[in-house]
């Protein structure tokens, strides 16, 4: 279930430069992406300014969202950051220093694809540091009554986004776009260009607000009849011999859309970029209705505040009963020697070389409650530890070519804490993580048992892998 979640932090294999014009400032900018250490995050550096100030890609430093997202800190101002941030998130690049010799990210073709291409050209380097995903374990809502914008983050096992737009435009109509996995970002979202309505374009041109504007770096949506004189004025503004309108789609200069819903997909691209400013990779399903930069940023502030308040809950496993388990009870029985009433795991929902997550449904019908505080039933702490140990046994034996020929025996439990009672009706989510590589059959693990987002029990455990008697 978590295969599409990146496990380690990543940076670039080397520096790479891309150059272009800023959409709003018209400035020609050279932008160089450079590798950075684990934990560095994404930071911009204005190397054209005295002292070469740095501004972190963080929602706390957003100063303008009028026609893009602008950051400012330490005297460094950087505009239109959303498309490069979306490309970095889409490629799973966590740590990078972005050097600029101007005030704005180059607009290129109005999408993230040129940035994706230079990232792939230089290559991505996996780093020796774990990537910490923050799980959203309750709905986080944002609503702008004036703009009629609604955004919500729902608990999910990975990061996915649904965006819906409605501009009351006969040309665009109502559109929606989905990103089911970041692994689909390059193909499904990255090529999608920014768009502008003709009436907005005329205002921006008249007020000299898009000095770097070109017919090739945005989709211009023509939402009304246009005279020949207007087309000639636009052609002159864009230094073209002529400009035409494609009547069937209402797109200026016969531009071919990459997707029928390219505008909705670009709005989703903007969400990916703006939510990168949370500063933490998240597991959530984002649903956005009529989003824009201002609402994206306010929503990012809300999510960041939630994470800071609930940081101790980071990386809480999300159990979605609608998802098929990796091991169901039949597979578990074939793998483990335990049987009722001592089989204390019902499902395995995540399994990798370093981590396993299991589920135990606690019911009142189990024999333990007949004798353990029968008037006030509580799951015995030692059995919570046993449930963790059984899940840990699956992790320990997972790399073995013939796990059915081995057993795990626990040698030691340290730092065991019981923080909350487990009661009948609870669903325990049991997480075990390797603390160090398995050597000579010794397995060091850290275990945590959750009910909801609350930690019930945690402990460090050491197990020994032993070959069963009678096996070859």
């Amino acid at each position: 279930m978590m295969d599409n979640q990146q496990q380690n932090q990543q940076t670039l294999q080397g520096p790479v430069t891309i150059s272009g014009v800023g959409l709003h400032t018209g400035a020609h900018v050279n932008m160089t992406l450079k590798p950075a250490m684990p934990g560095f995050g994404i930071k911009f550096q204005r190397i054209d300014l005295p002292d070469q100030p740095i501004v972190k890609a963080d929602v706390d430093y957003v100063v303008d969202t009028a026609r893009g997202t602008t950051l400012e800190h330490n005297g460094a101002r950087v505009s239109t950051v959303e498309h490069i941030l979306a490309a970095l998130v889409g490629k799973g690049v966590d740590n990078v220093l972005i050097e600029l010799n101007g005030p704005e990210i180059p607009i290129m073709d109005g999408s993230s694809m040129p940035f994706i291409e230079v990232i792939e050209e230089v290559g991505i380097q996996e780093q020796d540091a774990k990537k910490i995903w923050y799980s959203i374990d309750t709905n986080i809502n944002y609503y702008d009554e004036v703009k009629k914008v609604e955004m919500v983050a729902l608990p999910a096992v990975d990061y996915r986004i649904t965006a819906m737009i409605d501009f009351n435009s006969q040309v665009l109509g109502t559109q929606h776009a989905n990103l089911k996995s970041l692994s689909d970002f390059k193909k499904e979202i990255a090529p999608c260009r920014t768009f502008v309505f003709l009436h907005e374009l005329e205002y921006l041109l008249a007020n000299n607000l898009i000095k770097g504007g070109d017919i090739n770096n945005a989709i211009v949506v023509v939402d009304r009849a246009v005279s020949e004189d207007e087309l000639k004025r636009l052609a002159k503004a864009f230094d073209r011999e002529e400009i035409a309108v494609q009547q069937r789609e209402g797109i200026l200069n016969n531009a071919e859309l990459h997707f029928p819903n390219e505008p909705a997909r670009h709005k989703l691209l903007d969400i990916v970029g703006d939510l990168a400013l949370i500063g933490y990779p998240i597991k959530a399903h984002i649903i956005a209705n009529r989003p824009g930069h201002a609402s994206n940023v306010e929503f990012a502030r809300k999510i960041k505040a939630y994470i800071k308040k609930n940081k101790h809950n980071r990386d809480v496993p999300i159990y979605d009963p609608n998802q098929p388990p990796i091991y169901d009870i039949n597979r578990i029985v074939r793998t483990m020697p335990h049987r009722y009433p001592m089989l204390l795991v019902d499902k395995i929902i995540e399994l990798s070389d370093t981590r396993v997550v299991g589920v135990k449904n606690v019911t009142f019908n189990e024999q333990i409650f007949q004798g353990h505080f029968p008037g006030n039933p509580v799951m015995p702490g030692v059995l919570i530890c046993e449930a963790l140990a059984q899940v840990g046994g699956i992790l320990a034996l997972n790399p073995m070519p013939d796990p059915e020929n081995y057993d795990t025996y626990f040698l030691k439990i340290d730092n065991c804490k019981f923080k909350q009672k487990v009661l009948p009706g609870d669903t325990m989510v049991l997480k075990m993580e390797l603390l160090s590589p398995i050597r000579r059959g010794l397995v060091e693990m850290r275990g945590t048992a959750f009910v909801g987002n609350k930690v019930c029990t945690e402990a460090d455990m050491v197990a020994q892998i032993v070959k069963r008697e009678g096996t070859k």
Side-chain angles (χ1 to χ4, degrees), residues 404-441:
E404 66 280 357
N405 292 331
Y406 293 84
D407 286 325
T408 51
Y409 294 94
F410 275 75
L411 305 178
K412 187 167 66 168
I413 298 179
D414 285 330
N415 305 316
C416 187
K417 297 185 180 78
F418 298 99
K419 298 187 171 184
Q420 180 171 303
K421 291 187 288 187
V422 177
L423 306 174
D426 284 344
T427 298
M428 271 199 304
V429 179
L430 307 154
K431 179 177 73 172
M432 292 290 276
E433 298 174 292
L434 278 187
L435 292 174
S436 60
I438 298 173
R439 292 190 181 92
R440 298 187 303 277

Side-chain angles (χ1 to χ4, degrees), residues 107-326:
I107 188 63
M108 309 312 289
D109 69 348
S111 79
S112 285
M113 188 55 84
F115 305 130
I116 293 278
E117 288 169 350
V118 296
I119 291 168
E120 291 185 340
E121 175 189 320
V122 72
I124 293 172
Q125 177 72 50
E126 185 172 319
Q127 298 176 286
D128 189 20
K130 189 181 176 191
K131 181 164 181 170
I132 303 296
W133 293 87
Y134 286 80
S135 296
I136 304 299
D137 53 17
T138 188
N139 292 2
I140 301 175
N141 296 284
Y142 171 82
Y143 181 61
D144 184 323
E145 195 168 336
V146 176
K147 296 180 180 177
K148 306 299 182 193
V149 176
E150 294 178 88
M151 303 185 80
V152 61
L154 306 171
V157 296
D158 52 13
Y159 186 40
R160 55 181 59 196
I161 301 174
T162 302
M164 295 164 280
I165 63 171
D166 182 4
F167 287 98
N168 289 324
S169 160
Q170 288 186 336
V171 176
L172 289 189
T174 301
Q175 298 185 359
H176 74 277
N178 286 299
L179 179 65
K180 294 181 180 178
S181 167
L182 284 175
S183 60
D184 296 329
F185 180 84
K186 176 186 173 182
K187 179 182 176 185
E188 301 290 336
I189 305 299
C192 298
R193 298 156 292 177
T194 192
F195 64 97
V196 62
F197 288 96
L198 181 61
H199 67 270
E200 296 175 311
L201 178 66
E202 289 170 326
Y203 170 82
L204 295 169
L205 287 170
N207 290 275
N208 203 22
L209 293 173
I210 49 169
K211 297 171 185 172
D214 183 273
I215 205 70
N216 292 325
N217 57 29
I219 299 165
V220 180
V221 180
V222 181
D223 46 355
R224 58 172 177 75
V226 187
S227 70
E228 284 299 319
D229 286 345
E230 286 177 293
L231 289 174
K232 286 176 182 175
R233 281 203 309 273
L234 287 168
K236 185 178 179 182
F238 288 118
D239 196 23
R240 295 298 172 103
E241 288 187 15
E242 66 173 357
I243 282 180
V245 177
Q246 185 171 317
Q247 295 298 335
R248 182 172 57 85
E249 290 184 312
I251 303 298
L252 201 64
N253 214 41
N254 298 319
E256 288 290 330
L257 293 180
H258 296 322
F259 302 92
N261 64 338
E262 185 169 354
R265 292 183 190 226
H266 184 81
K267 282 291 188 180
L268 195 155
L269 185 157
D270 283 342
I271 293 171
V272 174
D274 287 335
L275 293 192
L277 298 170
I278 294 169
Y280 306 102
I282 61 171
K283 295 176 186 174
H285 183 184
I286 307 296
I287 302 175
N289 186 27
R290 298 169 56 91
H293 291 299
S295 55
N296 293 347
V297 167
E298 289 307 309
F299 191 45
R301 291 190 207 280
K302 200 164 185 181
I303 295 173
K304 182 181 178 182
Y306 170 85
I307 290 173
K308 287 180 77 172
K309 185 179 177 183
N310 297 277
K311 244 185 171 181
H312 61 284
N313 289 336
R314 70 185 186 181
D315 214 21
V316 176
I318 297 294
Y319 169 44
D320 180 356
N322 294 311
Q323 295 286 335
I326 290 175

